[in-house]
Amino acid sequence: MENKQVMKKTFGIMTAITMVVGTVIGSGIFFKPQAIYTATGGKPGLGMIAWLITGLVSIAAALTFAEIAILIPKTGGMVEYLSKVFGERVGYLAGWMQVVLALPAMAAGLAVIFADQVTLLTGNNVTIPVAIFVLIFVVILNCMSSKVGGGVQVVFTICKLVPLVLIIVFGFIKGSGTNTVFTPMVGEGLSPITVLGTLMVAILFAFEGWTNVGAIAGEMKNPGRDLPIAIVGGVSVITAIYFIINLAYLWVIPADQLAATSAPATLVARHIFGDFGSILITIGIMISCFGTCNGFLMSGSRVTYAMAEGGKLPFFKFLSKLNKTQTPANSIIFTGALSCIFALTGQYNLLTDLGVFSSWIFYTLTFVAVIVYRNQRPDIKRSYKVPLYPIIPILAIISGIFVVLNQFITATMLSLGSVIITIIGLPVYIYMNKKHMSNS
């Protein structure tokens, strides 16, 4: 009998938490305030409230997601959950979407925004070559071993908190505090309900990535204990950080000026620390983007590995191979290559919007799966249960549907492209099943 390769269980609670915090806190908190205050007509109130509302929605989603992540702690994450509850076809499409679209697009988007900052600092348009270099470098680090990749995640998560802490502390010390924060809600002629939908879609990108910790569950030492702490605790901490730093932004710069700049955090830093200080903060933002890129590429490669190892990528069996350090190097290289292709667009917003819409279709199905699995397998002992069941899962489901429909209405062509690429996975799945039947 052939010996099956097994990835080492090297990830502890610190890596799991930093996977959540490090993957989520990336570029959104530094760049999305422009889109938020543009949508509110340069007024702060609804923007600040939207950060809280979206944070609570994300916590509800995290509380729901954690239950099924603990019950099925396998490398591959959402693919395994949906396959178990709704059948292999649905799980396959979720995996296909993550492998060929969402995760490499998100990694590429983070590399592009990193490269945009290099362009800003040097004055030379080097976005695409620098983005590709960053992705190749991240691939090399992760191919060394899972321990190295996890170590990079821990170190860069700690480093990325530095500019956040500096802006928060010195923003409140040096800021005038005379700008309005919670009033007025929106500009004249704008509907708060309509604007809130736009704001939530923008802010959800800033929260994107907390589900990725489920993809490394198979390499965690104690997933039953560590997953709920990492997911729920991580998202709660992130919600608090986001609200406080946005308060600090407004303490220094009014909302209408934040809406008028493509780099709000850099503008705030310049007011606080001067030109040299703003350069240091920009470098800190680059570190943040690098760490987030590492997180998306790490989790994306694990989904690819899980799909290939389960025979779900018939044309790419080599992706199921591990190297001498028991690391899925081939899958890491494959995910990195796809990310490089996406990075050729040089379009940060396009890539991140594509990733968010694609992911939230299957996030919502995962929330539904928690309720369905409760009914399918009530006999299974659950070490963790969603609190206030079924209210919290229903809230997560409604929020997911709202996000998907809103994005489809406001960005129809982008959404259609995502759906088409996902559906292409169906003929691959059919071929895979036919090949399996012919060999059996």
Side-chain angles (χ1 to χ4, degrees), residues 192-235:
I193 295 177
T194 302
V195 172
L196 180 61
T198 303
L199 296 181
M200 286 186 68
V201 172
I203 293 172
L204 276 170
F205 166 68
F207 279 91
E208 183 66 28
W210 57 265
T211 60
N212 291 346
V213 71
I216 65 168
E219 296 169 85
M220 292 176 66
K221 298 173 184 177
N222 192 344
R225 181 197 66 189
D226 295 346
L227 267 178
I229 297 174
I231 294 175
V232 180
V235 174

Side-chain angles (χ1 to χ4, degrees), residues 144-389:
M144 291 179 181
S145 72
S146 295
K147 190 172 183 179
V148 171
V152 169
Q153 197 62 36
V154 171
V155 171
F156 276 83
T157 297
I158 294 171
C159 290
K160 75 168 56 182
L161 294 177
V162 172
L164 290 173
V165 171
L166 289 175
I167 290 174
I168 289 172
V169 172
F170 288 95
F172 288 123
I173 292 174
K174 293 190 173 183
S176 65
T178 57
N179 305 318
T180 57
V181 175
F182 294 104
T183 58
M185 295 289 284
V186 294
E188 289 186 18
L190 296 175
S191 166
I193 295 177
T194 302
V195 172
L196 180 61
T198 303
L199 296 181
M200 286 186 68
V201 172
I203 293 172
L204 276 170
F205 166 68
F207 279 91
E208 183 66 28
W210 57 265
T211 60
N212 291 346
V213 71
I216 65 168
E219 296 169 85
M220 292 176 66
K221 298 173 184 177
N222 192 344
R225 181 197 66 189
D226 295 346
L227 267 178
I229 297 174
I231 294 175
V232 180
V235 174
S236 299
V237 168
I238 291 162
T239 300
I241 291 173
Y242 281 178
F243 183 78
I244 293 171
I245 194 170
N246 275 277
L247 189 60
Y249 286 162
L250 292 172
W251 206 258
V252 179
I253 302 291
D256 57 346
Q257 291 186 33
L258 293 174
T261 177
S262 60
T266 301
L267 178 64
V268 171
R270 185 174 293 114
H271 275 70
I272 299 173
F273 304 112
D275 290 338
F276 179 73
S278 71
I279 292 174
L280 292 180
I281 294 298
T282 299
I283 293 172
I285 293 171
M286 291 167 63
I287 291 172
S288 177
C289 293
F290 183 91
T292 308
C293 179
N294 179 77
F296 275 107
L297 195 140
M298 182 191 297
S299 55
S301 64
R302 268 55 180 186
V303 176
T304 303
Y305 167 80
M307 293 277 286
E309 198 270 339
K312 296 175 182 178
L313 294 174
F315 307 109
F316 303 99
K317 289 183 179 180
F318 68 94
L319 297 177
S320 64
K321 303 297 182 183
L322 303 178
N323 64 11
K324 293 180 180 179
T325 62
Q326 300 300 98
T327 302
N330 290 348
S331 290
I332 293 169
I333 294 170
F334 178 81
T335 304
L338 283 179
S339 298
C340 287
I341 294 172
F342 280 116
L344 292 174
T345 65
Q347 299 294 315
Y348 164 71
N349 285 318
L350 172 68
L351 293 169
T352 53
D353 288 351
L354 187 64
V356 168
F357 175 80
S358 305
S359 297
W360 268 87
I361 294 173
F362 291 96
Y363 291 168
T364 306
L365 282 175
T366 304
F367 305 148
V368 174
V370 171
I371 296 176
V372 173
Y373 203 52
R374 282 268 189 121
N375 294 324
Q376 287 179 348
R377 296 298 306 273
D379 56 307
I380 295 180
K381 182 180 178 181
R382 288 167 168 83
S383 59
Y384 166 84
K385 292 184 177 181
V386 186
L388 299 177
Y389 181 89

Side-chain angles (χ1 to χ4, degrees), residues 57-89:
V57 166
S58 297
I59 291 172
L63 288 167
T64 304
F65 189 90
E67 178 172 310
I68 199 164
I70 294 165
L71 284 174
I72 312 172
K74 296 181 179 179
T75 296
M78 193 164 57
V79 177
E80 301 296 332
Y81 316 152
L82 295 179
S83 295
K84 186 80 170 180
V85 178
F86 295 122
E88 285 193 1
R89 188 185 299 261

Side-chain angles (χ1 to χ4, degrees), residues 82-83 86-95 362 425-427 429-430 433:
L82 295 179
S83 295
F86 295 122
E88 285 193 1
R89 188 185 299 261
V90 176
Y92 185 87
L93 288 180
F362 291 96
L426 277 176
Y429 174 81
I430 293 170
N433 272 359

Side-chain angles (χ1 to χ4, degrees), residues 65-136:
F65 189 90
E67 178 172 310
I68 199 164
I70 294 165
L71 284 174
I72 312 172
K74 296 181 179 179
T75 296
M78 193 164 57
V79 177
E80 301 296 332
Y81 316 152
L82 295 179
S83 295
K84 186 80 170 180
V85 178
F86 295 122
E88 285 193 1
R89 188 185 299 261
V90 176
Y92 185 87
L93 288 180
W96 174 266
M97 176 276 299
Q98 289 181 296
V99 168
V100 305
L101 187 59
L103 293 175
M106 295 294 276
L110 270 301
V112 166
I113 200 65
F114 177 100
D116 280 345
Q117 302 314 297
V118 175
T119 294
L120 181 65
L121 289 173
T122 64
N124 299 314
N125 188 1
V126 292
T127 295
I128 292 177
V130 170
I132 292 175
F133 172 80
V134 167
L135 289 166
I136 293 173

